Amino acid sequence: MKLRDHIIEQLAAMVVGDHPAFPYRSSSFITRFFKRCGLPFVHDGTTRSYWTAERLKEINLGPSNTHDLPSCDILRVLSELFDHSDFDRTEKSRDDALDHLNKLLNRQGFVAYFDESGNCQLRNNGTGTNSLTVLGQRRPLAEEEIAQRAKVVKFLT
């Protein structure tokens, strides 16, 4: 299930810290954020929120383990968005930020919550499917990952 563009754009503002409840991220911190998510994006110095929204739109089109939740990469971004160290560094409230995220996600039938480990998870209000169980499953490889795997195999043989 893909997130609507309007939600992606507001989520981008949360990622870069243009939303007051979330930690501010400069260009280098945006790059580090995506690296922590396991994504190869390097901020190019353009407008932070616009650039981030474009990257989020790209990964929004990526593979998912279930049709009830957004792509696996979006789920990783949502989880990383609530990293304890980022909130401790800026003395912002994770609970307050979660409330703001839920106001946004509820529009599409999702609710974000903290699991027992304090990680942010996502649940589909309609089906009850949640990211806690889905992220542990293997997802299908994207075309880019298949091509990269083929290059590695060719190199090794």
Side-chain angles (χ1 to χ4, degrees):
M1 177 177 279
K2 307 302 176 213
L3 295 177
R4 295 183 202 124
D5 283 349
H6 174 69
I7 291 174
I8 290 291
E9 290 163 4
Q10 290 188 37
L11 180 59
M14 293 174 178
V15 168
V16 301
D18 284 350
H19 187 289
F22 289 83
Y24 176 85
R25 290 186 177 89
S26 64
S27 179
S28 62
F29 279 97
I30 294 168
T31 298
R32 287 182 201 161
F33 173 83
F34 281 114
K35 294 275 186 232
R36 290 187 333 221
C37 293
L39 298 166
F41 303 134
V42 177
H43 185 245
D44 61 5
T46 58
T47 305
R48 295 168 21 265
S49 59
Y50 175 77
W51 181 88
T52 301
E54 291 303 308
R55 302 300 75 78
L56 293 177
K57 287 176 185 176
E58 287 176 29
I59 66 174
N60 193 37
L61 299 174
S64 176
N65 286 341
T66 177
H67 66 278
D68 297 340
L69 293 173
S71 73
C72 295
D73 290 336
I74 289 286
L75 295 177
R76 279 195 291 279
V77 165
L78 290 173
S79 181
E80 192 62 40
L81 187 59
F82 288 92
D83 181 73
H84 287 282
S85 61
D86 289 341
F87 280 86
D88 290 346
R89 173 178 51 87
T90 58
E91 298 181 2
K92 301 218 179 229
S93 166
R94 284 175 20 119
D95 291 328
D96 184 41
L98 185 68
D99 289 341
H100 286 281
L101 177 64
N102 275 324
K103 287 177 187 172
L104 177 64
L105 294 175
N106 281 332
R107 297 175 187 167
Q108 199 166 337
F110 296 113
V111 64
Y113 64 95
F114 295 129
D115 64 16
E116 296 87 29
S117 301
N119 296 317
C120 181
Q121 304 295 336
L122 189 68
R123 179 176 50 245
N124 182 309
N125 284 334
T127 64
T129 304
N130 72 67
S131 60
L132 185 60
T133 57
V134 171
L135 279 180
Q137 301 173 358
R138 290 183 167 227
R139 66 170 173 78
L141 294 177
E143 288 181 29
E144 181 179 284
E145 293 167 318
I146 294 169
Q148 182 65 27
R149 178 185 274 183
K151 287 179 185 177
V152 170
V153 168
K154 184 176 181 179
F155 174 78
L156 293 174
T157 56

PDB file of all heavy atoms in Angstrom, residues 8-45:
ATOM      1  N   ILE A   8       3.487  11.789   2.226  1.00  0.00           N
ATOM      2  CA  ILE A   8       4.936  11.706   2.001  1.00  0.00           C
ATOM      3  C   ILE A   8       5.591  13.073   2.189  1.00  0.00           C
ATOM      4  O   ILE A   8       6.648  13.197   2.809  1.00  0.00           O
ATOM      5  CB  ILE A   8       5.234  11.148   0.590  1.00  0.00           C
ATOM      6  CG1 ILE A   8       4.861   9.666   0.512  1.00  0.00           C
ATOM      7  CG2 ILE A   8       6.686  11.368   0.194  1.00  0.00           C
ATOM      8  CD1 ILE A   8       5.742   8.738   1.319  1.00  0.00           C
ATOM      9  N   GLU A   9       4.965  14.118   1.669  1.00  0.00           N
ATOM     10  CA  GLU A   9       5.534  15.464   1.779  1.00  0.00           C
ATOM     11  C   GLU A   9       5.606  15.915   3.234  1.00  0.00           C
ATOM     12  O   GLU A   9       6.600  16.516   3.665  1.00  0.00           O
ATOM     13  CB  GLU A   9       4.719  16.434   0.934  1.00  0.00           C
ATOM     14  CG  GLU A   9       4.913  16.194  -0.557  1.00  0.00           C
ATOM     15  CD  GLU A   9       3.845  16.832  -1.423  1.00  0.00           C
ATOM     16  OE1 GLU A   9       2.970  17.540  -0.896  1.00  0.00           O
ATOM     17  OE2 GLU A   9       3.893  16.611  -2.656  1.00  0.00           O
ATOM     18  N   GLN A  10       4.591  15.609   4.018  1.00  0.00           N
ATOM     19  CA  GLN A  10       4.621  15.984   5.432  1.00  0.00           C
ATOM     20  C   GLN A  10       5.588  15.100   6.215  1.00  0.00           C
ATOM     21  O   GLN A  10       6.235  15.560   7.156  1.00  0.00           O
ATOM     22  CB  GLN A  10       3.219  15.930   6.022  1.00  0.00           C
ATOM     23  CG  GLN A  10       2.333  17.047   5.480  1.00  0.00           C
ATOM     24  CD  GLN A  10       1.011  17.127   6.202  1.00  0.00           C
ATOM     25  OE1 GLN A  10       0.929  16.912   7.405  1.00  0.00           O
ATOM     26  NE2 GLN A  10      -0.034  17.448   5.472  1.00  0.00           N
ATOM     27  N   LEU A  11       5.691  13.852   5.808  1.00  0.00           N
ATOM     28  CA  LEU A  11       6.660  12.957   6.434  1.00  0.00           C
ATOM     29  C   LEU A  11       8.083  13.468   6.176  1.00  0.00           C
ATOM     30  O   LEU A  11       8.944  13.418   7.061  1.00  0.00           O
ATOM     31  CB  LEU A  11       6.486  11.536   5.901  1.00  0.00           C
ATOM     32  CG  LEU A  11       7.426  10.470   6.452  1.00  0.00           C
ATOM     33  CD1 LEU A  11       7.295  10.343   7.968  1.00  0.00           C
ATOM     34  CD2 LEU A  11       7.140   9.126   5.778  1.00  0.00           C
ATOM     35  N   ALA A  12       8.328  13.985   4.987  1.00  0.00           N
ATOM     36  CA  ALA A  12       9.642  14.554   4.667  1.00  0.00           C
ATOM     37  C   ALA A  12       9.976  15.712   5.602  1.00  0.00           C
ATOM     38  O   ALA A  12      11.110  15.837   6.062  1.00  0.00           O
ATOM     39  CB  ALA A  12       9.682  15.014   3.212  1.00  0.00           C
ATOM     40  N   ALA A  13       8.980  16.548   5.894  1.00  0.00           N
ATOM     41  CA  ALA A  13       9.202  17.658   6.828  1.00  0.00           C
ATOM     42  C   ALA A  13       9.574  17.137   8.215  1.00  0.00           C
ATOM     43  O   ALA A  13      10.376  17.750   8.932  1.00  0.00           O
ATOM     44  CB  ALA A  13       7.957  18.541   6.895  1.00  0.00           C
ATOM     45  N   MET A  14       9.022  15.994   8.590  1.00  0.00           N
ATOM     46  CA  MET A  14       9.363  15.388   9.879  1.00  0.00           C
ATOM     47  C   MET A  14      10.789  14.832   9.845  1.00  0.00           C
ATOM     48  O   MET A  14      11.546  14.996  10.807  1.00  0.00           O
ATOM     49  CB  MET A  14       8.359  14.286  10.217  1.00  0.00           C
ATOM     50  CG  MET A  14       6.973  14.808  10.474  1.00  0.00           C
ATOM     51  SD  MET A  14       5.786  13.451  10.694  1.00  0.00           S
ATOM     52  CE  MET A  14       4.287  14.380  11.040  1.00  0.00           C
ATOM     53  N   VAL A  15      11.153  14.204   8.751  1.00  0.00           N
ATOM     54  CA  VAL A  15      12.499  13.627   8.629  1.00  0.00           C
ATOM     55  C   VAL A  15      13.563  14.712   8.727  1.00  0.00           C
ATOM     56  O   VAL A  15      14.564  14.544   9.432  1.00  0.00           O
ATOM     57  CB  VAL A  15      12.646  12.834   7.309  1.00  0.00           C
ATOM     58  CG1 VAL A  15      14.109  12.473   7.037  1.00  0.00           C
ATOM     59  CG2 VAL A  15      11.784  11.572   7.343  1.00  0.00           C
ATOM     60  N   VAL A  16      13.370  15.823   8.054  1.00  0.00           N
ATOM     61  CA  VAL A  16      14.401  16.872   8.059  1.00  0.00           C
ATOM     62  C   VAL A  16      14.292  17.815   9.247  1.00  0.00           C
ATOM     63  O   VAL A  16      15.163  18.633   9.467  1.00  0.00           O
ATOM     64  CB  VAL A  16      14.401  17.682   6.737  1.00  0.00           C
ATOM     65  CG1 VAL A  16      14.639  16.776   5.554  1.00  0.00           C
ATOM     66  CG2 VAL A  16      13.140  18.507   6.577  1.00  0.00           C
ATOM     67  N   GLY A  17      13.219  17.692  10.018  1.00  0.00           N
ATOM     68  CA  GLY A  17      13.061  18.532  11.200  1.00  0.00           C
ATOM     69  C   GLY A  17      12.414  19.870  10.928  1.00  0.00           C
ATOM     70  O   GLY A  17      12.494  20.778  11.759  1.00  0.00           O
ATOM     71  N   ASP A  18      11.741  20.011   9.790  1.00  0.00           N
ATOM     72  CA  ASP A  18      10.985  21.241   9.541  1.00  0.00           C
ATOM     73  C   ASP A  18       9.682  21.240  10.335  1.00  0.00           C
ATOM     74  O   ASP A  18       9.041  22.272  10.467  1.00  0.00           O
ATOM     75  CB  ASP A  18      10.691  21.405   8.044  1.00  0.00           C
ATOM     76  CG  ASP A  18      11.917  21.866   7.272  1.00  0.00           C
ATOM     77  OD1 ASP A  18      12.928  22.236   7.908  1.00  0.00           O
ATOM     78  OD2 ASP A  18      11.864  21.851   6.028  1.00  0.00           O
ATOM     79  N   HIS A  19       9.300  20.098  10.854  1.00  0.00           N
ATOM     80  CA  HIS A  19       8.151  19.996  11.765  1.00  0.00           C
ATOM     81  C   HIS A  19       8.700  20.215  13.177  1.00  0.00           C
ATOM     82  O   HIS A  19       9.690  19.588  13.571  1.00  0.00           O
ATOM     83  CB  HIS A  19       7.495  18.619  11.639  1.00  0.00           C
ATOM     84  CG  HIS A  19       6.226  18.494  12.395  1.00  0.00           C
ATOM     85  ND1 HIS A  19       6.188  18.443  13.769  1.00  0.00           N
ATOM     86  CD2 HIS A  19       4.943  18.430  11.980  1.00  0.00           C
ATOM     87  CE1 HIS A  19       4.939  18.338  14.168  1.00  0.00           C
ATOM     88  NE2 HIS A  19       4.163  18.335  13.083  1.00  0.00           N
ATOM     89  N   PRO A  20       8.088  21.094  13.962  1.00  0.00           N
ATOM     90  CA  PRO A  20       8.665  21.461  15.268  1.00  0.00           C
ATOM     91  C   PRO A  20       8.779  20.318  16.278  1.00  0.00           C
ATOM     92  O   PRO A  20       9.575  20.411  17.217  1.00  0.00           O
ATOM     93  CB  PRO A  20       7.728  22.551  15.783  1.00  0.00           C
ATOM     94  CG  PRO A  20       6.473  22.428  14.988  1.00  0.00           C
ATOM     95  CD  PRO A  20       6.853  21.825  13.676  1.00  0.00           C
ATOM     96  N   ALA A  21       8.039  19.238  16.118  1.00  0.00           N
ATOM     97  CA  ALA A  21       8.098  18.138  17.086  1.00  0.00           C
ATOM     98  C   ALA A  21       9.265  17.187  16.817  1.00  0.00           C
ATOM     99  O   ALA A  21       9.550  16.316  17.642  1.00  0.00           O
ATOM    100  CB  ALA A  21       6.787  17.356  17.070  1.00  0.00           C
ATOM    101  N   PHE A  22       9.965  17.361  15.693  1.00  0.00           N
ATOM    102  CA  PHE A  22      11.016  16.427  15.299  1.00  0.00           C
ATOM    103  C   PHE A  22      12.379  17.106  15.292  1.00  0.00           C
ATOM    104  O   PHE A  22      12.483  18.312  15.048  1.00  0.00           O
ATOM    105  CB  PHE A  22      10.710  15.852  13.912  1.00  0.00           C
ATOM    106  CG  PHE A  22       9.555  14.896  13.927  1.00  0.00           C
ATOM    107  CD1 PHE A  22       8.254  15.368  13.870  1.00  0.00           C
ATOM    108  CD2 PHE A  22       9.764  13.534  14.044  1.00  0.00           C
ATOM    109  CE1 PHE A  22       7.179  14.498  13.913  1.00  0.00           C
ATOM    110  CE2 PHE A  22       8.701  12.647  14.088  1.00  0.00           C
ATOM    111  CZ  PHE A  22       7.403  13.131  14.026  1.00  0.00           C
ATOM    112  N   PRO A  23      13.440  16.321  15.533  1.00  0.00           N
ATOM    113  CA  PRO A  23      14.795  16.888  15.533  1.00  0.00           C
ATOM    114  C   PRO A  23      15.181  17.441  14.163  1.00  0.00           C
ATOM    115  O   PRO A  23      14.889  16.834  13.140  1.00  0.00           O
ATOM    116  CB  PRO A  23      15.679  15.681  15.879  1.00  0.00           C
ATOM    117  CG  PRO A  23      14.773  14.679  16.505  1.00  0.00           C
ATOM    118  CD  PRO A  23      13.423  14.901  15.893  1.00  0.00           C
ATOM    119  N   TYR A  24      15.850  18.583  14.179  1.00  0.00           N
ATOM    120  CA  TYR A  24      16.339  19.204  12.949  1.00  0.00           C
ATOM    121  C   TYR A  24      17.499  18.389  12.408  1.00  0.00           C
ATOM    122  O   TYR A  24      18.363  17.930  13.167  1.00  0.00           O
ATOM    123  CB  TYR A  24      16.797  20.640  13.232  1.00  0.00           C
ATOM    124  CG  TYR A  24      17.391  21.312  12.029  1.00  0.00           C
ATOM    125  CD1 TYR A  24      16.574  21.944  11.100  1.00  0.00           C
ATOM    126  CD2 TYR A  24      18.762  21.307  11.813  1.00  0.00           C
ATOM    127  CE1 TYR A  24      17.121  22.558   9.976  1.00  0.00           C
ATOM    128  CE2 TYR A  24      19.311  21.920  10.707  1.00  0.00           C
ATOM    129  CZ  TYR A  24      18.484  22.536   9.784  1.00  0.00           C
ATOM    130  OH  TYR A  24      19.026  23.128   8.689  1.00  0.00           O
ATOM    131  N   ARG A  25      17.515  18.210  11.099  1.00  0.00           N
ATOM    132  CA  ARG A  25      18.624  17.519  10.441  1.00  0.00           C
ATOM    133  C   ARG A  25      19.175  18.397   9.325  1.00  0.00           C
ATOM    134  O   ARG A  25      18.461  18.741   8.392  1.00  0.00           O
ATOM    135  CB  ARG A  25      18.167  16.177   9.875  1.00  0.00           C
ATOM    136  CG  ARG A  25      17.854  15.142  10.937  1.00  0.00           C
ATOM    137  CD  ARG A  25      17.538  13.781  10.333  1.00  0.00           C
ATOM    138  NE  ARG A  25      17.307  12.812  11.378  1.00  0.00           N
ATOM    139  CZ  ARG A  25      16.113  12.570  11.938  1.00  0.00           C
ATOM    140  NH1 ARG A  25      15.049  13.236  11.538  1.00  0.00           N
ATOM    141  NH2 ARG A  25      15.998  11.675  12.898  1.00  0.00           N
ATOM    142  N   SER A  26      20.454  18.707   9.426  1.00  0.00           N
ATOM    143  CA  SER A  26      21.139  19.427   8.347  1.00  0.00           C
ATOM    144  C   SER A  26      21.418  18.435   7.226  1.00  0.00           C
ATOM    145  O   SER A  26      21.128  17.244   7.336  1.00  0.00           O
ATOM    146  CB  SER A  26      22.449  20.011   8.878  1.00  0.00           C
ATOM    147  OG  SER A  26      23.321  18.960   9.256  1.00  0.00           O
ATOM    148  N   SER A  27      22.011  18.932   6.165  1.00  0.00           N
ATOM    149  CA  SER A  27      22.294  18.103   4.995  1.00  0.00           C
ATOM    150  C   SER A  27      23.062  16.828   5.360  1.00  0.00           C
ATOM    151  O   SER A  27      22.691  15.728   4.967  1.00  0.00           O
ATOM    152  CB  SER A  27      23.091  18.916   3.977  1.00  0.00           C
ATOM    153  OG  SER A  27      23.398  18.139   2.849  1.00  0.00           O
ATOM    154  N   SER A  28      24.129  16.976   6.123  1.00  0.00           N
ATOM    155  CA  SER A  28      24.929  15.794   6.467  1.00  0.00           C
ATOM    156  C   SER A  28      24.157  14.837   7.372  1.00  0.00           C
ATOM    157  O   SER A  28      24.312  13.614   7.261  1.00  0.00           O
ATOM    158  CB  SER A  28      26.247  16.205   7.124  1.00  0.00           C
ATOM    159  OG  SER A  28      26.006  16.889   8.341  1.00  0.00           O
ATOM    160  N   PHE A  29      23.313  15.359   8.248  1.00  0.00           N
ATOM    161  CA  PHE A  29      22.511  14.494   9.113  1.00  0.00           C
ATOM    162  C   PHE A  29      21.397  13.791   8.339  1.00  0.00           C
ATOM    163  O   PHE A  29      20.995  12.685   8.691  1.00  0.00           O
ATOM    164  CB  PHE A  29      21.936  15.273  10.298  1.00  0.00           C
ATOM    165  CG  PHE A  29      22.916  15.448  11.418  1.00  0.00           C
ATOM    166  CD1 PHE A  29      23.644  16.617  11.533  1.00  0.00           C
ATOM    167  CD2 PHE A  29      23.117  14.441  12.348  1.00  0.00           C
ATOM    168  CE1 PHE A  29      24.560  16.779  12.554  1.00  0.00           C
ATOM    169  CE2 PHE A  29      24.033  14.594  13.375  1.00  0.00           C
ATOM    170  CZ  PHE A  29      24.758  15.761  13.480  1.00  0.00           C
ATOM    171  N   ILE A  30      20.914  14.404   7.276  1.00  0.00           N
ATOM    172  CA  ILE A  30      19.924  13.740   6.418  1.00  0.00           C
ATOM    173  C   ILE A  30      20.581  12.545   5.731  1.00  0.00           C
ATOM    174  O   ILE A  30      20.014  11.443   5.685  1.00  0.00           O
ATOM    175  CB  ILE A  30      19.341  14.721   5.378  1.00  0.00           C
ATOM    176  CG1 ILE A  30      18.532  15.806   6.074  1.00  0.00           C
ATOM    177  CG2 ILE A  30      18.484  13.982   4.356  1.00  0.00           C
ATOM    178  CD1 ILE A  30      18.159  16.972   5.176  1.00  0.00           C
ATOM    179  N   THR A  31      21.784  12.743   5.220  1.00  0.00           N
ATOM    180  CA  THR A  31      22.517  11.643   4.594  1.00  0.00           C
ATOM    181  C   THR A  31      22.761  10.529   5.599  1.00  0.00           C
ATOM    182  O   THR A  31      22.529   9.354   5.293  1.00  0.00           O
ATOM    183  CB  THR A  31      23.858  12.153   4.019  1.00  0.00           C
ATOM    184  OG1 THR A  31      23.571  13.121   3.005  1.00  0.00           O
ATOM    185  CG2 THR A  31      24.682  11.026   3.435  1.00  0.00           C
ATOM    186  N   ARG A  32      23.186  10.881   6.814  1.00  0.00           N
ATOM    187  CA  ARG A  32      23.413   9.869   7.859  1.00  0.00           C
ATOM    188  C   ARG A  32      22.117   9.140   8.203  1.00  0.00           C
ATOM    189  O   ARG A  32      22.126   7.930   8.437  1.00  0.00           O
ATOM    190  CB  ARG A  32      23.979  10.520   9.116  1.00  0.00           C
ATOM    191  CG  ARG A  32      25.401  10.947   8.981  1.00  0.00           C
ATOM    192  CD  ARG A  32      25.913  11.543  10.271  1.00  0.00           C
ATOM    193  NE  ARG A  32      27.072  12.363   9.989  1.00  0.00           N
ATOM    194  CZ  ARG A  32      27.538  13.287  10.792  1.00  0.00           C
ATOM    195  NH1 ARG A  32      26.964  13.520  11.950  1.00  0.00           N
ATOM    196  NH2 ARG A  32      28.593  13.980  10.457  1.00  0.00           N
ATOM    197  N   PHE A  33      21.029   9.881   8.254  1.00  0.00           N
ATOM    198  CA  PHE A  33      19.731   9.273   8.558  1.00  0.00           C
ATOM    199  C   PHE A  33      19.406   8.182   7.538  1.00  0.00           C
ATOM    200  O   PHE A  33      19.065   7.055   7.897  1.00  0.00           O
ATOM    201  CB  PHE A  33      18.633  10.350   8.554  1.00  0.00           C
ATOM    202  CG  PHE A  33      17.249   9.794   8.699  1.00  0.00           C
ATOM    203  CD1 PHE A  33      16.730   9.484   9.940  1.00  0.00           C
ATOM    204  CD2 PHE A  33      16.447   9.567   7.580  1.00  0.00           C
ATOM    205  CE1 PHE A  33      15.455   8.955  10.079  1.00  0.00           C
ATOM    206  CE2 PHE A  33      15.170   9.046   7.702  1.00  0.00           C
ATOM    207  CZ  PHE A  33      14.673   8.739   8.959  1.00  0.00           C
ATOM    208  N   PHE A  34      19.525   8.498   6.260  1.00  0.00           N
ATOM    209  CA  PHE A  34      19.219   7.514   5.225  1.00  0.00           C
ATOM    210  C   PHE A  34      20.210   6.346   5.246  1.00  0.00           C
ATOM    211  O   PHE A  34      19.827   5.203   4.992  1.00  0.00           O
ATOM    212  CB  PHE A  34      19.141   8.163   3.844  1.00  0.00           C
ATOM    213  CG  PHE A  34      17.837   8.872   3.611  1.00  0.00           C
ATOM    214  CD1 PHE A  34      17.787  10.251   3.466  1.00  0.00           C
ATOM    215  CD2 PHE A  34      16.643   8.167   3.535  1.00  0.00           C
ATOM    216  CE1 PHE A  34      16.577  10.900   3.246  1.00  0.00           C
ATOM    217  CE2 PHE A  34      15.436   8.803   3.325  1.00  0.00           C
ATOM    218  CZ  PHE A  34      15.397  10.176   3.184  1.00  0.00           C
ATOM    219  N   LYS A  35      21.472   6.612   5.565  1.00  0.00           N
ATOM    220  CA  LYS A  35      22.454   5.527   5.686  1.00  0.00           C
ATOM    221  C   LYS A  35      22.045   4.580   6.816  1.00  0.00           C
ATOM    222  O   LYS A  35      22.137   3.366   6.677  1.00  0.00           O
ATOM    223  CB  LYS A  35      23.852   6.078   5.966  1.00  0.00           C
ATOM    224  CG  LYS A  35      24.437   6.877   4.827  1.00  0.00           C
ATOM    225  CD  LYS A  35      25.118   5.984   3.825  1.00  0.00           C
ATOM    226  CE  LYS A  35      25.805   6.843   2.796  1.00  0.00           C
ATOM    227  NZ  LYS A  35      25.466   6.480   1.442  1.00  0.00           N
ATOM    228  N   ARG A  36      21.585   5.133   7.938  1.00  0.00           N
ATOM    229  CA  ARG A  36      21.124   4.295   9.058  1.00  0.00           C
ATOM    230  C   ARG A  36      19.919   3.457   8.658  1.00  0.00           C
ATOM    231  O   ARG A  36      19.699   2.386   9.210  1.00  0.00           O
ATOM    232  CB  ARG A  36      20.772   5.162  10.276  1.00  0.00           C
ATOM    233  CG  ARG A  36      21.972   5.792  10.936  1.00  0.00           C
ATOM    234  CD  ARG A  36      21.667   6.501  12.231  1.00  0.00           C
ATOM    235  NE  ARG A  36      20.338   7.026  12.389  1.00  0.00           N
ATOM    236  CZ  ARG A  36      20.033   8.203  12.932  1.00  0.00           C
ATOM    237  NH1 ARG A  36      20.990   8.998  13.361  1.00  0.00           N
ATOM    238  NH2 ARG A  36      18.789   8.585  13.060  1.00  0.00           N
ATOM    239  N   CYS A  37      19.140   3.950   7.700  1.00  0.00           N
ATOM    240  CA  CYS A  37      17.990   3.195   7.190  1.00  0.00           C
ATOM    241  C   CYS A  37      18.412   2.142   6.182  1.00  0.00           C
ATOM    242  O   CYS A  37      17.579   1.374   5.694  1.00  0.00           O
ATOM    243  CB  CYS A  37      16.988   4.141   6.518  1.00  0.00           C
ATOM    244  SG  CYS A  37      16.178   5.288   7.635  1.00  0.00           S
ATOM    245  N   GLY A  38      19.697   2.121   5.835  1.00  0.00           N
ATOM    246  CA  GLY A  38      20.185   1.169   4.842  1.00  0.00           C
ATOM    247  C   GLY A  38      19.923   1.620   3.419  1.00  0.00           C
ATOM    248  O   GLY A  38      19.898   0.806   2.498  1.00  0.00           O
ATOM    249  N   LEU A  39      19.752   2.928   3.231  1.00  0.00           N
ATOM    250  CA  LEU A  39      19.450   3.473   1.911  1.00  0.00           C
ATOM    251  C   LEU A  39      20.641   4.279   1.397  1.00  0.00           C
ATOM    252  O   LEU A  39      21.297   4.980   2.166  1.00  0.00           O
ATOM    253  CB  LEU A  39      18.200   4.348   1.987  1.00  0.00           C
ATOM    254  CG  LEU A  39      16.936   3.588   2.408  1.00  0.00           C
ATOM    255  CD1 LEU A  39      15.822   4.553   2.786  1.00  0.00           C
ATOM    256  CD2 LEU A  39      16.480   2.664   1.291  1.00  0.00           C
ATOM    257  N   PRO A  40      20.930   4.230   0.093  1.00  0.00           N
ATOM    258  CA  PRO A  40      22.158   4.813  -0.462  1.00  0.00           C
ATOM    259  C   PRO A  40      22.055   6.297  -0.834  1.00  0.00           C
ATOM    260  O   PRO A  40      22.787   6.759  -1.699  1.00  0.00           O
ATOM    261  CB  PRO A  40      22.364   3.970  -1.724  1.00  0.00           C
ATOM    262  CG  PRO A  40      20.974   3.678  -2.187  1.00  0.00           C
ATOM    263  CD  PRO A  40      20.178   3.471  -0.911  1.00  0.00           C
ATOM    264  N   PHE A  41      21.182   7.052  -0.192  1.00  0.00           N
ATOM    265  CA  PHE A  41      20.953   8.437  -0.598  1.00  0.00           C
ATOM    266  C   PHE A  41      21.960   9.388   0.052  1.00  0.00           C
ATOM    267  O   PHE A  41      22.235   9.289   1.247  1.00  0.00           O
ATOM    268  CB  PHE A  41      19.535   8.881  -0.227  1.00  0.00           C
ATOM    269  CG  PHE A  41      18.455   8.019  -0.821  1.00  0.00           C
ATOM    270  CD1 PHE A  41      17.392   7.588  -0.042  1.00  0.00           C
ATOM    271  CD2 PHE A  41      18.485   7.635  -2.149  1.00  0.00           C
ATOM    272  CE1 PHE A  41      16.385   6.808  -0.581  1.00  0.00           C
ATOM    273  CE2 PHE A  41      17.491   6.853  -2.702  1.00  0.00           C
ATOM    274  CZ  PHE A  41      16.436   6.439  -1.913  1.00  0.00           C
ATOM    275  N   VAL A  42      22.465  10.315  -0.757  1.00  0.00           N
ATOM    276  CA  VAL A  42      23.378  11.358  -0.284  1.00  0.00           C
ATOM    277  C   VAL A  42      22.754  12.697  -0.661  1.00  0.00           C
ATOM    278  O   VAL A  42      22.550  12.970  -1.851  1.00  0.00           O
ATOM    279  CB  VAL A  42      24.780  11.211  -0.910  1.00  0.00           C
ATOM    280  CG1 VAL A  42      25.685  12.345  -0.459  1.00  0.00           C
ATOM    281  CG2 VAL A  42      25.378   9.857  -0.560  1.00  0.00           C
ATOM    282  N   HIS A  43      22.461  13.509   0.347  1.00  0.00           N
ATOM    283  CA  HIS A  43      21.831  14.801   0.071  1.00  0.00           C
ATOM    284  C   HIS A  43      22.748  15.657  -0.780  1.00  0.00           C
ATOM    285  O   HIS A  43      23.943  15.767  -0.513  1.00  0.00           O
ATOM    286  CB  HIS A  43      21.491  15.517   1.387  1.00  0.00           C
ATOM    287  CG  HIS A  43      20.751  16.788   1.173  1.00  0.00           C
ATOM    288  ND1 HIS A  43      21.282  18.005   1.496  1.00  0.00           N
ATOM    289  CD2 HIS A  43      19.527  17.031   0.632  1.00  0.00           C
ATOM    290  CE1 HIS A  43      20.406  18.952   1.180  1.00  0.00           C
ATOM    291  NE2 HIS A  43      19.340  18.380   0.649  1.00  0.00           N
ATOM    292  N   ASP A  44      22.172  16.255  -1.814  1.00  0.00           N
ATOM    293  CA  ASP A  44      22.963  16.996  -2.798  1.00  0.00           C
ATOM    294  C   ASP A  44      23.012  18.502  -2.565  1.00  0.00           C
ATOM    295  O   ASP A  44      23.484  19.245  -3.412  1.00  0.00           O
ATOM    296  CB  ASP A  44      22.442  16.710  -4.211  1.00  0.00           C
ATOM    297  CG  ASP A  44      20.995  17.147  -4.400  1.00  0.00           C
ATOM    298  OD1 ASP A  44      20.402  17.756  -3.477  1.00  0.00           O
ATOM    299  OD2 ASP A  44      20.445  16.875  -5.482  1.00  0.00           O
ATOM    300  N   GLY A  45      22.513  18.948  -1.427  1.00  0.00           N
ATOM    301  CA  GLY A  45      22.569  20.374  -1.106  1.00  0.00           C
ATOM    302  C   GLY A  45      21.350  21.162  -1.534  1.00  0.00           C
ATOM    303  O   GLY A  45      21.247  22.349  -1.241  1.00  0.00           O
TER     304      GLY A  45
END
